[in-house]
Structures are given as structure tokens and as C-alpha cells.
Amino acid sequence: MPLPDSPDHAATPAPRISDLARARPPGPDYLEGLNPEQRQAVEAIDGPVLVLAGAGTGKTRVLTTRLAHILATGKAKPWELLAVTFTNKAAREMRERITAIIGPTAEGLRWLGTFHSIAAQILRRHADLVGLKSNYTILDDDDQERLIKQLLAAENIDVKRWTPKHLAGLIDHWKNRGWTPDRLPPAEASQFANGRGQALYRLYQERLRILNACDFGDLLLHNLTIFTSQPDVLAEFHNRFRYILVDEYQDTNVAQYLWLRLLAQSRQNICCVGDDDQSIYGWRGAEVDNILRFERDFPGSTVIRLERNYRSTSHILAAASGLIATNKDRLGKTLWTEADGGEKVVVRGVWDGEAESRLIAEEIERAKRGSTDRPARRYRDVAILVRASFQMRAFEERFVMLQIPYTVIGGPRFFERAEIRDAHAYLRLIQSPDDDLAFERIVNVPKRGIGETTVQKLLQIARAQQVPASIAARQLALTDELAARTRTALATFLRDLDRWRAEAERIAHPRLMEMVLEESGYTDALKLDRTPTAQTRLENLKELVQSMGSFEDLGSYLEHVSLVMDLDRGPAADAVQIMTLHSAKGLEFPLVFLPGWEEGVFPSQRSVDEKGEKGLEEERRLAYVGITRAREEARISFVANRQVYGRWTSQLPSRFVDELPLANVEAASETGYYGGGPGMQQQHGSRWDESSSFGDGYSSPGWRRAQERNYRGSHPGRQPVLEGEGRLVAVSAPSHSSDYARGDRVFHQKFGYGEVTGVEGNKLTVTFEKAGEKRVIDSFVERG
DNA sequence: CGTGCTCACCTTTTT
DNA sequence: GGTGAGCACG
């Protein structure tokens, strides 16, 4: 299929009024206000360029201005630019910001998107070259795992010992490295189920091809196969892409690197922007090496360092720089700022996790109030960045109790919910009758009396005859092999499918979705469903139908959801943001709390165990990312005792605490417990004890006492903070719904006794009887 | 075929 | 401690 010579409007969102209103002719003024390095990065158009953009140095501005500049100089048309990002959010932001500079011309940037969305487009055009049809489906990880599970079952592999998840992880890893089954290195090929890894990988790919489907890794991998086996196709793209721009280059995996190198190979006009110090995705295949090697990969390249930071005060910047300097594997940058010193980074040791959340909550309340020498902050100016999500709970509990508004960023996503996946399975099956995974998913959802036995029988026929499951179902419905009831059920289902397929030609896809949900009995089943989540699910489905409206047709909608696994949410409320360090990348906040800096928690024990020094360096980069999120204040804390999986454990301060430059750090001592613990000095050669700037230092037995007392089971941290009896359990109730029911009497430390009036998923609604007033808040209950 | 119980798990997450 | 998965049971 030839490439169109004009922008493909179907693939780009329609311009919004607000963007058009902002549109103005491109003038040289877009270069104004850039510092010399930024300007160089914008103007060095030809040849390979690596822009090392430190945290807060105006990276996005450089990227967008550079694109605008290329267009303004007439060196390329919008559709001749390839601009890749990792996330949809980044792509969206880039498009918006370019539109702000150049106006509606930005619509023509049809090759601006994520690696995966661009690879998917390329694959649609050339699917036949890898044995797929251009309407192939993209499987989500749920489908992928079910497919692998079937495969393992068919191969008589013990799925207890060799889990589908494990193999899915391996295959993903292999694809990230750009290895097809044939190219698998021997050491890798012999992995899994006594050396059957390679064979299973091959079988899996075979199954995908039969299903006319591919997984996320395939999008890139198939591109590589096409490019390397069909020079003419590659040449076509060489001709097309005059300039290539890559964001977050430090996060590229091998497959993405090879993909870029192939595309850049003829013109060499590739500009990669990234920061080796912010590479935090090694565990999902990112290779810091790619950025470290750039100059060797692209001879004659220009390297530009953006080192002027516009975000943080100098103490914060210096603390972060001092910490990251411990890493060996880096290209090296010296960030600087013209901002004044500001406040030092505060480091504190506290008693336990509860005390830590109490302290942080108090400080947030203080910050919110403001004082004579400090402006009052809004809640949304504050972020709590944790290493792992299990650390979030303590803060949520505290905030609910104190009624501090908060949002947790991350967590389960809209399109990953079961009901949404079910709905999509219906749509997929309507669109492509041979989507067996979709068929299996919903053939008995809602329950229509087609049980596991029938499905297995059906799949057997399908496999024996090499036909899709729906064809096999049609045959089976004609024979008398099934009980009359089952046969009728199956026939009805097939007839419904046919009808929907016919309707799909005529009616709008949101209407189709409604029709399917109604006629299949899905909504009815949910309405009758008395489990607490049913209501939410119905609402989710309504939201789904609504969100479909903004797409042209069913096909583009399905393509969108498989590549963009999230929904655009409304504007953020004024709330404290709780998130992991990983999801904080790219964000900034005036006040940042960094709790849980303890050995084993951060750096994560597992990282260090599995990846050794490399893992440790990545953890340190994570710490660097954390500190550099702060504009004005950064507060690090660690505890003496922490509950991990219900067990009390003694903690030592993170080695990262010791690596912070003393001059930029202030050790606060509100709680009386600070500094390292026994053995600390021997372990990491701490400097804190010498400086004695850190409370009473290591010579103090305070830390040891704190830990020992904990084992005796009596320490102040466990006492309730507010008056009242009972125990605070959790923000979310246990998932075992039998543990709670409507009518249960529960106790809240602030609001007193209440009654469970709603159970929704793992969240409880409690109505409190205090003061005659009914107050509904989420959870906080006492069990039993 | 639907439910209740025991058990093993427990970092980060995008597409 | 909390959770989902898988299995045994009715």
C-alpha cells in the first residue's frame, strides 16, 4: 500500500476550537527566550544530535520548538517528520504545544505518536509481509496470558511450576531485545519448562498468526522484520522521514533502538533527547546503554547538554546532583540554577510508618495554613512520592482521618476493568469473527448456559479443522452432539452475533454498543447482580458508550483503546498527590515528600538482589528523579520500624541518605530518633556520625532502643493518635466481602460508631450516627 | 454450575 | 496483613 502524500486526517484528532483560537503564523519569535544551549539544540537540524537534557532544563520546550523550527525553515513538511514518545500523554502534550506555536499546521504531523502507535500504523500498511491481515487485532496482556495458558495446557506443561505469566514475561523480554524465535540466543532458548522456551515462543507466534493478532512487543518486532527483509519498504520510509525526533531516549529498549537506527540510517537526521540520569525503566527492557553509546552509534554526532535548571532551588539541585554523582555509569552533567539557595533538603528519622504519615500529614496541614514567612500552599502543590504502592496506605489512612483531600495517581485503569474488556470483546467479535480470544471471553458472559465442557468441545473441533471458534460453533450447533438446551443457547448467541454484525453496517458504533449490551443481557445481568460492584460497572459501561462518541467508526475506536489504555480524565481537584516515584517522572511540585528511605525499601531489596550494582544505580536514579521533582522544598524521611506484610521489621536508613551532600541537607529532629542504626557505619561508612549534624548521631543508642522496644511490643507509634477506642483498620476493606456486610457496626476514631451502609468492591461506605447528622465517608472501620 | 475456603503471593508500569 | 487464584464441595 503506497503512503499517502497528504496528511491523513482520519488518524489525527480534529483541531479543537481552543487550539485554533491560539493559532498564529510561525514567526521567528518562537526562538525568543531560549538560552544558548537550548537554541543550539533547536537549530542544529541536520545530522545526528543527542540532547542531554537534565531534569527541569526545558526539554519539552526544546523538542517542540525544534519541530516548529524545522517546519518554519521549510526543510520538511509536517508529514515528513517522525516524532516518537513513550506515552500517549507525552505525545498529546507535544502536539498541543506545537499547535500553540505553529497553529493548525500541526495537524499535519501524522507521524507524531508513541513508538507503538506509529509501529502499529506501519504494520497496518505492510501486515501481509509478516503473515497478518491489515485488520489484525492487538491483544492486551490479559488475552496474551490466556492464550499462553491454553498453549501450555495443550503442551502438557505444569502451569503451577511454569506459570503463563512467567512465559509471557520471557517472551516480552525477548521481543524487547528484538529476538524472533529463530534469533533467540541459545542461553535464552533453553529457558522455561526444561528448555522448551524457544519452541513455545515459536508456537505462540504461530497461534498469533492464526488469530490474525499480535501483542505489544510484536508491533515493533514485526516492523523490524519488515524493514530488514524488504529493503524497498525501508527505502520508502527513508524517503518519507526527513527528520526523526525521539523523546526520553534513555528509556528505549533494544527493539526500539534498532527500529530507530534502521529508519535513520540513510539520512542520519536523528535527534534524540534524554537524560541518562533519569533512566528508571531498566526492568522493563530499557537500555541506558543506548544513550551512553549514542556517539559511537551515530558517528559525527553533536552532543548538546542542557544544564541550566529552571525548576528547583539550588539546595535541592545540589542535593540531587551530589547523590547521583555516586553513580559510575553516566555521561555526566553539571546542573546549575540562578534561583537562590532556598531551603535545604530536610532529612528525618522517625519512629515507624504511622509516625511518618502523622508527621507528613501535620506538615501538609501547616503548609496549607501558611505562616508569616511562608505562603499558604494548595493541596495540589504537595506530592508524596513512594517507592512502592504498599507505602501509600499509611498516608491514605491518615488523610481520610484528617479529611485531607488526596488523589492516588496510578492504580487499575479504566480499560483494564473486566466489564470494559467484556464489552470490547463483543465489539471485537462483531468486527472480526475469527477473534477466538474475544469469542472465548464472552461466549458465556453473561451466563447463557454454555459451560466449560461445551467450550472445550468447540475448541477441539476448531483446532482439529483449523477454523475459528465461531465457525466451529456453527457446526456444533447443527449436530446433535449437544444437549438441546445448550444447542439452543449456542444457536441464539450465534444468531445475535450475526444480527449485530448486520447492524454494525448501519448504525453508529456507540448505539451498537448499547444495543449489544442490552440484547446480550449483559446490562440486565448486572442490574440483577446484587454484588456491590454491579452499580459501578454499569456506570463504567455508560461512560464507555459516551467515550466512543468521539471516534469516527468502530475500527478507529478499537485501535485507539488497544493502544491507549487510559481515558482522558477531567481536571485534577485540589488534592495532595500520592504516587510512585516512577509515575512522578516528568512532573514537578513546590513541596515534595519522599518517605520510606530505608535499606530494603528504597533501594528496593529485590532490585539490588536481582540486578546488583546496576540495579542499585537505577534505584539511585529513582532517588534523583524524586528529589528533582521538588521546586522549593524536599523532605526525606525514614523510619526505625516498619510493618512489611504484617510483620514488624527493623529498618536502617537508606544508603542514599548518607550519599546526600551535607551542605545541602538539614537533619531535623522532632521525634528524637535519627541517624543510622547499629552496624551502619561499618556497612556504608556513614558520615553522619562524624558531622554530628544529625541529632545525637550514631553514638546514640536511640535507634537501637527504638528497634528493640518495638520487639517488646510496646511503643508509642502503635497508640491511637486521637482519643477513642478501637483500631483503625484500613481505607479499603479486605476483598473478602464476607468479612463485611451492610449493617455491620464499625468504629471510626474521629467520627465514632457508624454502620456499614454500602459495600462497593473493596471500599466501604459508613454512615456515622454522631450528632444526629448523617455523614457518608469512605471506610475506616473496625472489624468484628 | 455456583460458592466458600485455603493457600501462596507480595516493586516499579507503558503500550 | 490483604488479596486473588484455584480447588473442593454442595
Side-chain angles (χ1 to χ4, degrees), chain A residues 372-533:
Chain A
T372 45
D373 54 338
R374 274 169 210 241
R377 294 204 190 280
R378 295 165 302 180
Y379 285 123
R380 60 158 176 287
D381 294 337
V382 183
I384 299 176
L385 311 183
V386 296
R387 173 67 244 264
S389 43
F390 71 79
Q391 297 169 266
M392 292 179 177
R393 198 180 191 106
F395 296 100
E396 291 194 58
E397 287 181 353
R398 200 77 208 154
F399 290 171
V400 171
M401 177 154 64
L402 299 176
Q403 295 192 299
I404 295 175
Y406 69 89
T407 11
V408 172
I409 312 285
R413 291 178 304 157
F414 186 76
F415 288 120
E416 280 166 11
R417 291 163 191 271
E419 65 276 18
I420 303 301
R421 285 182 152 153
D422 288 342
H424 284 155
Y426 273 99
L427 295 178
R428 276 163 54 189
L429 195 55
I430 288 167
Q431 223 208 5
S432 36
D434 46 0
D435 191 336
D436 281 12
L437 289 165
F439 182 90
E440 284 162 47
R441 185 174 181 108
I442 46 117
V443 64
N444 200 31
V445 179
K447 302 253 178 312
R448 45 173 77 88
I450 304 170
E452 191 55 32
T453 334
T454 314
V455 173
Q456 283 311 319
K457 209 177 280 178
L458 204 152
L459 288 178
Q460 224 170 357
I461 298 175
R463 217 166 298 136
Q465 305 190 10
Q466 303 250 348
V467 293
S470 54
I471 303 283
R474 247 167 253 274
Q475 287 181 21
L476 198 60
L478 293 175
T479 67
D480 49 5
E481 224 177 296
L482 296 174
R485 260 222 332 250
T486 320
R487 197 167 60 208
T488 323
L490 191 58
T492 312
F493 175 59
L494 292 169
R495 219 176 22 248
D496 283 345
L497 268 180
D498 287 338
R499 196 176 60 251
W500 295 327
R501 245 171 234 145
E503 288 292 341
E505 305 287 315
R506 298 191 287 119
I507 62 177
H509 54 288
R511 177 76 200 96
L512 177 72
M513 180 84 266
E514 278 180 325
M515 180 187 268
V516 169
L517 290 173
E518 280 302 322
E519 295 181 0
S520 66
Y522 200 97
T523 38
D524 285 345
L526 271 183
K527 278 176 191 157
L528 290 175
D529 192 338
R530 293 213 316 286
T531 59
T533 47

Side-chain angles (χ1 to χ4, degrees), chain A residues 186-241:
Chain A
E188 299 281 333
S190 62
Q191 287 201 43
F192 199 80
N194 308 316
R196 297 171 69 185
Q198 184 172 30
L200 289 166
Y201 182 17
R202 194 171 279 129
L203 281 171
Y204 171 71
Q205 290 305 104
E206 192 52 35
R207 289 281 294 140
L208 284 179
R209 219 164 42 83
I210 293 169
L211 291 167
N212 187 31
C214 66
D215 60 25
F216 275 110
D218 277 339
L219 294 173
L220 265 297
L221 198 60
H222 285 326
N223 270 229
L224 291 179
T225 308
I226 292 166
F227 291 162
T228 47
S229 65
Q230 307 284 330
D232 51 320
V233 174
L234 182 59
E236 199 184 332
F237 285 103
H238 283 162
N239 188 35
R240 153 96 9 177
F241 298 138

Side-chain angles (χ1 to χ4, degrees), chain A residues 4 28 59 147 155 170 195 202 275 333 366 381 401 449 457 469 482 517 536 608 611 651 704 708 719 739:
Chain A
K59 179 193 72 168
L147 185 59
E155 293 294 303
L170 276 177
R202 194 171 279 129
D275 181 2
K333 280 186 303 302
R366 205 176 306 144
D381 294 337
M401 177 154 64
K457 209 177 280 178
L482 296 174
L517 290 173
T536 327
V608 180
K611 298 264 185 105
Q651 301 291 323
R704 186 197 294 271
E708 280 171 1
Q719 299 302 316
D739 286 2

Side-chain angles (χ1 to χ4, degrees), chain A residues 275-279 317-330 332-333 335 616-625 627-628 656 659-661:
Chain A
D275 181 2
D276 50 320
D277 290 334
Q278 292 186 70
S279 165
L317 206 55
S321 303
L323 175 67
I324 200 68
T326 318
N327 272 6
K328 294 196 184 75
D329 253 356
R330 49 192 301 258
K333 280 186 303 302
L335 295 189
L616 186 60
E617 294 213 343
E618 182 154 314
E619 296 284 309
R620 195 174 283 113
R621 292 194 289 268
L622 210 42
Y624 174 80
V625 167
I627 299 173
T628 52
F656 300 155
E659 291 166 5
L660 294 166

Side-chain angles (χ1 to χ4, degrees), chain A residues 401 718-729 745-754 768-770 780-784:
Chain A
M401 177 154 64
R718 288 218 213 159
Q719 299 302 316
V721 182
L722 297 176
E723 292 291 308
E725 52 186 49
R727 189 166 62 96
L728 211 54
V729 176
R745 208 169 155 73
V746 298
F747 183 81
H748 184 284
Q749 287 190 326
K750 191 162 180 179
F751 304 112
Y753 282 99
F768 291 91
E769 44 204 48
K770 205 179 177 184
F780 271 131
V781 288
E782 183 187 338
R783 221 192 292 218

